[in-house]
Amino acid sequence: MNRRRRPAAAGAVLGCLLLAACGSGKSILEAGNEPRPTAAPVTTLPGQTTVPGQTTVPTAPPTTEPRPIDSLPPCDMAALDEAAADGPVEILFWHGMSNELGRELERIVDQFNASQDRVEVSLEFQGGYEQTIDKYLQSDTDNRPDLVQMPEYTVQLMVDTQSNVPVQACMEDAGYDASRILPTALDAYATESIQWAMPFNVSNPVLYYNKKVFRDAGLDPEAPPLTLEQLGEYGRTIQATGAASYGVAFDSAPDGGGGWFLEQWLAKEGEFYSDNANGRSAPSTRVLFDGPTGVELLTGLQDILTTGGGVYVGENPSGTDAFLKLADASTPASMTISTSAALGSVLQFVEGGIIPGIGVEDLGVGPMPSPSGAPGTLIGGASLWITEGRGDAEAAASFEFISYLVSPEIQSEWAAATGYVPVNAGAVELDPLRAVYTGDPRFRVAYDQVAQTPDVPTSNGPVLGPLREVRVTAASAMAQIMNGAEPQAALTDAATLANALIADYNARRG
Amino acid sequence: MTRDAASRRRWRDAPLALAMLAPSLIVLGAFVLYPLARAFWLGHQRCDPTGANCRSNGWDQYLDVFRSEEFQQAFGVTFRFAVLTVPVGLALGVGLAVLADKQLRGMGFFRTVFSSTVATSVAVASLMWFFLLNPSVGVLADWIGGVAKNPGLLQDEDTALWAVAISSIWANLGFTFIVVTAGLQSIPADLYESAYVDGASGWMRFTNVTLPMLGPTLLFAGVVLTSRAFQSYGEFDLLTGGGPNGSTTSLTYLVYGNNSIIKNNSGLQAAVAVLLFAVLLVLSLAQIRGVERRVHYGN
Amino acid sequence: MATSTMPRGWRLAGRYTLLIVLTIVVLFPIWVMLVGALKPGNKVLQDPLLPTHVTFDTLREAWRDGNLGRALVNSTIVALIVTVAQVVTAVLSAYAFAFLRFPGRTFVFGVFLATLLVPFEATVVVNRSTVQDLGWLNSYQGLAVPFLATAFGTFLVRQVFLTLPKDLREAARMDGLGHLGFLREVAVPLARPTLGALALFGFLSTWNQYLWPTTISTDDDWNTVQSGLRALAQAQIDKPNLVIAGTVIVALPIFVILLVFQRQLVRGLTAGAVKG
């Protein structure tokens, strides 16, 4: 051992020297000689002046010109008729739906393949949304699928790959009637007045809670908390009565409590997440979550942790930690906020009897609590994108399959099995979803949140090229705040980095 | 004439040598040297998210990346991870191997047990420890309590790297144990006997005979473990996703991780990857040079 | 090894106690994993240390959901290809460096050694696009080809070859054996323990590959066991132990190999560590 220690020690010294001497304190995004907007609050780069405490942003044009649909790859539905005459057109569909969701999707695809002989879909699970994005970006046209499912935060990224046939082209060519597709869901995937993709699975965050704990604590199990203040009060009551160890369990996952929820909360409060109307009137240049509303929100969340019976479960990398906290044998929590898409599997989880004494009927679902208790939500989930350059027949076949997936019948089955919100209004009037919605109002909560969303610009989520990376920075701030950091300072740091991400992205794209 | 003969002899084997080296040269050239050179080139560029439309951003991008906050932090994480895992892993491996070395009844069983973790891959070991350390499902949380329960060892900034290191040490234990056991078996018995005759105690025999004779073995195991530590990725990907708050974002995670802020930024990714190579290069040279001088080669 | 010590009773007892304690520590995670894998998903939180409610359903489900049957076949094929190829390429190149004289030998050997220091992680991005250009995504070629030769193997086998006495080669020449004959008849048999070690090492490290298979497959038919496990590790709220069952399935074959080849592994892994 001692024979190895010397060089290791030398290495340690060397490493420390390097760290101390070499650190520039600047973000990696600033590396290189091309002038970039600074990430550090007080730095001056050539050609730019900065004011201390304020992040510099390049000025952007105030509005974006609508893009003419003719300037984009066309869609020829007739090509499918021709090709299908010689046998079914095979298309490849990449998706990121795991487990129960994946199995349900598989069932629907099999059903589609069996129902007609024009199109044959083969399904490839990529391991999750993130892997789907990575593999799509890394692949060339030959290795891309004909159709891909992409989460809501990739709109701008996908548009910038310039690798898609916008579904609008197919809708126009096919004379598709989109009047029954939820307008807010369509809007989420439309920018520059182009409908790029078709929403397929729509979800939003809801409150999951343990009704038995509510009853034990003397709270009305049918009246879940709507505001953050109530969330804290409920938690205090639950703790005071000893009904459970904790009130709400928070996580700080980028695609959960740390990133996605922040976008949702700001929208609920009628605030933009980024400038230029969430990037929808012109490309966003900076985020706005470090403003007063964001600070107030995070301060409220922090208060719930300190005095409102809340518990922080970390970054939730597996996506299950917050739920498992509800089932914790020694120190359980009694509420958590998570995606409505988990409802199907959470019910199965509870049904198996994993929480002693709790049955499926004891699981409550309520709207996502927010500072003001305002209803409404942003469209979460994912949409379907047609790849360009794979052949006219394939593009048309993809659209035919898309039309099937968003038909009232299939959306009814899909939403009833999973907890997703149907994107087709007709689905609610059809069984099995009609039966589920009347029989089990818990499935309806996410749908109602969409239905109650006010028709204002802030109800359309942010379109930022690096939205996933921005979420990571927000999640990091959230984690710090959950651990007691001062909200304003943490959010300002995160916003600075987020602005650098946006600027860097725009520079690389340009 | 003699020069001619010499030159002919010099070249006589060349065709055969080329044929024998060709398979390795082609593979190493195409999948190690070429990508390294390519990555080196890419490292001074910035590309769009699909990796196309690359433009030069100046060679000082390397220097700036090296000095940047994210790189320095990831470098620190990687370095601490190596310092946490390598010495402890080696010490445990040596300890177990020495304990199980004597030809006593049942040692075969103990050897099998101690080598058993070699059967676990990074993914297997990480997922096991993820399960074990989970604050709600895992058994350890209720025993340890405190931060292990809330928010969990993998979810606290101060403990996450340690927790990942424990998983990694455990996973590498089988390998270290096997290597050291083999090293022990190659130490001539008469060395111990003469030490015994000289009246050396057990501990003295360990420090004066065992450890010096294990030199080459420890060098080998140390180099392998160090390079594994610097290249660890799966542990971070599966156990922590680089968090919380970047406390387990290693250099490899900074390049490939889902939660890296440069994940769709191939120029910066390449720059970090090349710098990782440079760091390993310096480290390996230092390690080999520093240790080789002191290592005692038997016989 | 022969020791002349008469072990005192208490010393022996102490050693065994320590060994048993350490055994428990090392095996503890494996035990918890086995117990977890043998429970139904909804009983995971109960008696995590005791095999109650034993069922093979979770293992069966992990097998199905992770497509692990196919993944095991893929991993085995790839690992075998790589193992054989690494041994062959290492023997050939090591022979060239040890027994042949050619201009630039030192330089080429230096290049080989340099590749030893390149972390595979530094080359993944470029290698992926190479494999894509070759049309080898989702294929055995793609999974195996980058690993068919290693400088590590070359270095290891060359060390063994260098220790062979010079007169062996001379004697062989007298007997009319050319280089290839000498390689086949003399050098390879003498290097067998090292080659065995190299083979096992190659097999294990290929089996354990994580980043590469997750990078180059876009079709779960081309998952290896490690990338299959990763897919299984996705949010799994109603069956928190499914992935644990997957790890049992994946670790088992290697554990059996370890039991069977333990001697070779021990003997072999030292070849790199101990001179001579």
Side-chain angles (χ1 to χ4, degrees):
Chain A
M1 274 307 300
N2 55 349
R3 282 162 201 283
R4 283 210 62 265
R5 208 168 282 151
R6 272 245 186 93
V13 171
L14 186 75
C16 296
L17 278 177
L18 284 177
L19 289 178
C22 296
S24 62
K26 289 186 192 170
S27 167
I28 192 167
L29 299 167
E30 289 175 59
N33 60 7
E34 205 173 277
R36 276 159 208 282
T38 82
V42 198
T43 326
T44 313
L45 280 180
Q48 280 179 326
T49 49
T50 45
V51 185
Q54 241 187 323
T55 42
T56 10
V57 285
T59 46
T63 55
T64 308
E65 292 292 315
R67 234 194 264 211
I69 186 80
D70 310 344
S71 68
L72 294 163
C75 181
D76 179 13
M77 291 306 289
L80 175 60
D81 302 328
E82 275 166 45
D86 310 328
V89 174
E90 289 173 23
I91 57 167
L92 179 60
F93 176 28
W94 283 6
H95 72 101
M97 304 266 84
S98 57
N99 309 313
E100 295 300 329
L101 303 178
R103 275 193 286 278
E104 178 62 16
L105 184 58
E106 234 166 81
R107 192 191 64 73
I108 290 173
V109 166
D110 289 344
Q111 193 176 305
F112 173 71
N113 286 338
S115 73
Q116 44 78 50
D117 52 10
R118 285 157 56 87
V119 181
E120 176 83 21
V121 179
S122 57
L123 204 54
E124 277 175 9
F125 174 51
Q126 297 304 310
Y129 286 153
E130 282 304 294
Q131 287 86 338
T132 311
I133 299 166
D134 286 353
K135 286 175 180 168
Y136 187 87
L137 291 181
Q138 288 165 357
S139 297
D140 52 19
T141 310
D142 288 344
N143 289 292
R144 279 177 180 158
D146 303 289
L147 183 64
V148 62
Q149 179 197 32
M150 284 284 178
E152 90 280 350
Y153 52 83
T154 57
V155 176
Q156 190 61 44
L157 187 64
M158 283 299 283
V159 170
D160 290 335
T161 62
Q162 301 176 20
S163 64
N164 301 100
V165 177
V167 291
Q168 184 178 328
C170 297
M171 289 161 82
E172 285 177 7
D173 195 65
Y176 182 81
D177 174 17
S179 61
R180 303 235 65 194
I181 307 292
L182 293 183
T184 49
L186 280 174
D187 287 351
Y189 301 104
T191 62
E192 299 167 71
S193 68
I194 295 290
Q195 187 69 45
W196 298 102
M198 181 67 86
F200 165 57
N201 50 322
V202 169
S203 61
N204 49 59
V206 292
L207 180 79
Y208 291 84
Y209 63 97
N210 184 333
K211 288 186 178 177
K212 181 169 178 294
V213 171
F214 274 41
R215 281 193 296 271
D216 292 350
L219 296 163
D220 179 359
E222 303 310 322
L226 295 173
T227 66
L228 291 188
E229 206 172 309
Q230 285 170 358
L231 199 57
E233 277 166 28
Y234 276 52
R236 268 191 294 278
T237 312
I238 286 164
Q239 274 190 328
T241 55
S245 303
Y246 297 106
V248 67
F250 281 134
D251 69 76
S252 65
D255 301 320
W260 187 38
F261 294 0
L262 184 57
E263 292 156 32
Q264 295 281 351
W265 271 317
L266 288 176
K268 271 173 164 296
E269 298 305 300
E271 295 274 336
F272 287 117
Y273 185 83
S274 61
D275 67 345
N276 294 328
N278 277 344
R280 285 172 186 273
S281 68
S284 275
T285 59
R286 66 196 181 101
V287 294
L288 304 169
F289 58 65
D290 56 339
T293 314
V295 174
E296 195 185 327
L297 168 76
L298 271 297
T299 309
L301 293 179
Q302 206 176 33
D303 289 346
I304 292 176
L305 283 191
T306 47
T307 61
V311 61
Y312 173 54
V313 297
E315 294 188 359
N316 200 10
S318 69
T320 58
D321 288 355
F323 282 121
L324 288 172
K325 190 69 188 162
L326 298 193
D328 194 304
S330 57
T331 57
S334 44
M335 304 175 264
T336 192
I337 302 173
S338 188
T339 171
S340 59
L343 182 54
S345 34
V346 170
L347 284 174
Q348 289 190 13
F349 171 68
V350 174
E351 191 175 16
I354 193 152
I355 317 177
I358 298 292
V360 270
E361 68 288 349
D362 293 314
L363 180 78
V365 177
M368 182 192 200
S370 68
S372 67
T377 180
L378 290 179
I379 295 297
S383 59
L384 305 169
W385 297 72
I386 301 170
T387 311
E388 187 210 348
R390 305 271 308 176
D392 289 344
E394 282 74 10
S398 298
F399 186 72
E400 185 144 307
F401 175 57
I402 290 176
S403 327
Y404 179 80
L405 284 180
V406 299
S407 66
E409 294 79 14
I410 297 305
Q411 281 293 311
S412 171
E413 292 173 20
W414 171 246
T418 56
Y420 277 115
V421 174
V423 297
N424 193 313
V428 190
E429 297 148 17
L430 290 177
D431 280 341
L433 190 60
R434 183 176 54 182
V436 168
Y437 274 9
T438 33
D440 190 347
R442 291 175 293 194
F443 275 86
R444 236 197 121 88
V445 175
Y447 178 79
D448 290 340
Q449 290 205 106
V450 174
Q452 291 160 3
T453 303
D455 186 14
V456 290
T458 48
S459 296
N460 274 329
V463 280
L464 295 173
L467 184 51
R468 184 60 175 42
E469 292 90 327
V470 168
R471 275 186 182 179
V472 171
T473 70
S476 194
M478 186 78 101
Q480 293 168 38
I481 293 166
M482 294 289 174
N483 285 320
E486 206 266 307
Q488 178 72 68
L491 284 175
T492 305
D493 283 353
T496 308
L497 186 54
N499 294 342
L501 279 166
I502 295 169
D504 172 63
Y505 179 92
N506 290 340
R508 286 190 290 132
R509 181 186 56 163
Chain B
M1 186 210 142
T2 40
R3 245 184 74 190
D4 239 29
S7 147
R8 218 176 305 129
R9 230 179 53 205
R10 238 164 75 83
W11 285 96
R12 195 185 55 204
D13 289 343
L16 181 61
L18 188 66
M20 291 179 119
L21 288 174
S24 297
L25 280 177
I26 291 170
V27 172
L28 295 177
F31 292 101
V32 183
L33 296 176
Y34 161 71
L36 185 68
R38 182 98 180 75
F40 185 68
W41 176 253
L42 209 55
H44 89 294
Q45 297 185 312
R46 290 291 180 98
C47 310
D48 75 14
T50 61
N53 295 319
C54 298
R55 283 172 304 165
S56 169
N57 196 28
W59 288 97
D60 49 352
Q61 175 155 291
Y62 273 103
L63 187 65
D64 291 349
V65 165
F66 185 82
R67 298 181 61 198
S68 72
E69 223 172 325
E70 288 86 354
F71 185 91
Q72 295 281 321
Q73 191 189 359
F75 186 39
V77 166
T78 311
F79 195 83
R80 279 201 303 280
F81 184 69
V83 169
L84 285 176
T85 53
V86 179
V88 177
L90 277 178
L92 279 175
V94 171
L96 290 179
V98 168
L99 269 180
D101 185 47
K102 290 259 161 63
Q103 289 296 347
L104 297 173
R105 190 181 277 272
M107 283 308 158
F109 167 75
F110 291 116
R111 281 196 192 150
T112 306
V113 168
F114 297 149
S115 347
S116 65
T117 72
V118 89
T120 65
S121 61
V122 170
V124 167
S126 302
L127 292 169
M128 277 172 63
W129 281 89
F130 188 78
F131 189 73
L132 268 178
L133 294 173
N134 184 294
S136 300
V137 180
V139 284
L140 293 179
D142 279 318
W143 296 352
I144 302 171
V147 73
K149 187 74 196 165
N150 196 356
L153 291 179
L154 290 167
Q155 287 303 322
D156 185 272
E157 254 181 77
D158 298 327
T159 56
L161 193 62
W162 288 84
V164 178
I166 289 172
S167 150
S168 173
I169 290 171
W170 182 87
N172 280 322
L173 195 58
F175 167 78
T176 324
F177 174 79
I178 290 172
V179 170
V180 177
T181 298
L184 283 178
Q185 285 169 352
S186 69
I187 299 176
D190 48 339
L191 279 183
Y192 285 106
E193 272 155 29
S194 56
Y196 187 73
V197 171
D198 291 350
S201 68
W203 178 250
M204 280 168 72
R205 285 202 300 276
F206 176 71
T207 54
N208 293 338
V209 180
T210 312
L211 273 185
M213 293 304 291
L214 275 182
T217 308
L218 292 180
L219 170 65
F220 171 73
V223 169
V224 171
L225 288 182
T226 308
S227 83
R228 275 190 195 174
F230 268 82
Q231 297 177 50
S232 294
Y233 172 73
E235 293 92 325
F236 299 111
D237 185 38
L238 290 167
L239 283 169
T240 58
N245 198 17
S247 61
T248 59
T249 297
S250 64
L251 287 173
T252 49
Y253 195 85
L254 185 62
V255 182
Y256 300 108
N258 276 342
N259 294 333
S260 166
I261 62 163
I262 59 166
K263 67 170 287 189
N264 296 327
N265 212 326
S266 44
L268 291 176
Q269 287 175 304
V272 175
V274 171
L275 287 170
L276 171 67
F277 164 63
V279 166
L280 267 175
L281 189 70
V282 170
L283 208 78
S284 312
L285 292 180
Q287 211 170 11
I288 289 169
R289 194 155 279 174
V291 182
E292 204 151 54
R293 234 181 272 140
R294 297 178 179 80
V295 156
H296 175 103
Y297 278 101
N299 309 346
Chain C
M1 99 194 40
T3 113
S4 53
T5 349
M6 258 290 272
R8 291 209 181 95
W10 60 269
R11 251 204 161 142
L12 208 58
R15 182 185 283 254
Y16 275 111
T17 315
L18 198 56
L19 280 169
I20 288 166
V21 169
L22 289 168
T23 298
I24 293 172
V25 171
V26 170
L27 289 187
F28 176 74
I30 297 177
W31 173 251
V32 173
M33 169 173 93
L34 281 175
V35 169
L38 290 172
K39 283 187 187 205
N42 53 9
K43 295 286 184 286
V44 179
L45 298 176
Q46 293 162 34
D47 305 322
L49 295 177
L50 299 174
T52 53
H53 307 93
V54 171
T55 169
F56 289 100
D57 286 353
T58 314
L59 286 166
R60 215 172 289 135
E61 258 175 89
W63 177 268
R64 188 197 64 196
D65 286 9
N67 203 358
L68 291 181
R70 175 73 198 233
L72 280 168
V73 171
N74 288 345
S75 278
T76 309
I77 290 176
V78 172
L80 285 177
I81 293 174
V82 170
T83 305
V84 171
Q86 279 190 359
V87 170
V88 171
T89 54
V91 164
L92 289 177
S93 51
Y95 190 87
F97 286 127
F99 290 106
L100 300 181
R101 297 164 54 110
F102 55 94
R105 186 170 75 170
T106 321
F107 172 75
V108 178
F109 187 63
V111 170
F112 264 63
L113 280 189
T115 66
L116 200 54
L117 298 173
V118 180
F120 183 70
E121 280 68 14
T123 58
V124 166
V125 175
V126 180
N127 279 339
R128 191 200 185 272
S129 71
T130 305
V131 164
Q132 172 166 297
D133 292 344
L134 291 168
W136 288 354
L137 295 180
N138 304 317
S139 73
Y140 289 124
Q141 302 92 290
L143 286 165
V145 169
F147 311 100
L148 295 185
T150 62
F152 174 71
T154 304
F155 183 68
L156 212 63
V157 181
R158 175 181 167 270
Q159 291 298 97
V160 179
F161 284 171
L162 286 179
T163 62
L164 300 182
K166 283 269 178 275
D167 19 334
L168 262 182
R169 174 72 194 113
E170 286 309 314
R173 209 204 309 270
M174 298 294 171
D175 291 347
L177 275 182
H179 279 298
L180 291 179
F182 177 70
L183 175 64
R184 196 173 53 235
E185 311 274 324
V186 184
V188 166
L190 284 174
R192 194 173 285 151
T194 304
L195 297 183
L198 180 64
L200 260 173
F201 199 75
F203 189 90
L204 283 178
S205 43
T206 312
W207 185 273
N208 290 346
Q209 296 256 355
Y210 177 79
L211 186 57
W212 183 245
T214 56
T215 310
I216 68 143
S217 80
T218 59
D219 176 349
D220 70 1
D221 276 349
W222 294 99
N223 271 349
T224 64
V225 284
Q226 314 300 338
S227 51
L229 269 185
R230 189 193 206 223
L232 207 55
Q234 296 297 314
Q236 198 69 242
I237 184 63
D238 48 327
K239 288 161 215 126
N241 57 342
L242 196 62
V243 60
I244 289 303
T247 62
V248 171
I249 295 171
V250 169
L252 210 60
I254 295 291
F255 191 72
V256 171
I257 291 179
L258 174 80
L259 283 182
V260 176
F261 289 106
Q262 199 180 6
R263 280 196 105 78
Q264 283 87 332
L265 188 66
V266 169
R267 217 170 264 161
L269 282 177
T270 40
V274 184
K275 213 179 158 191

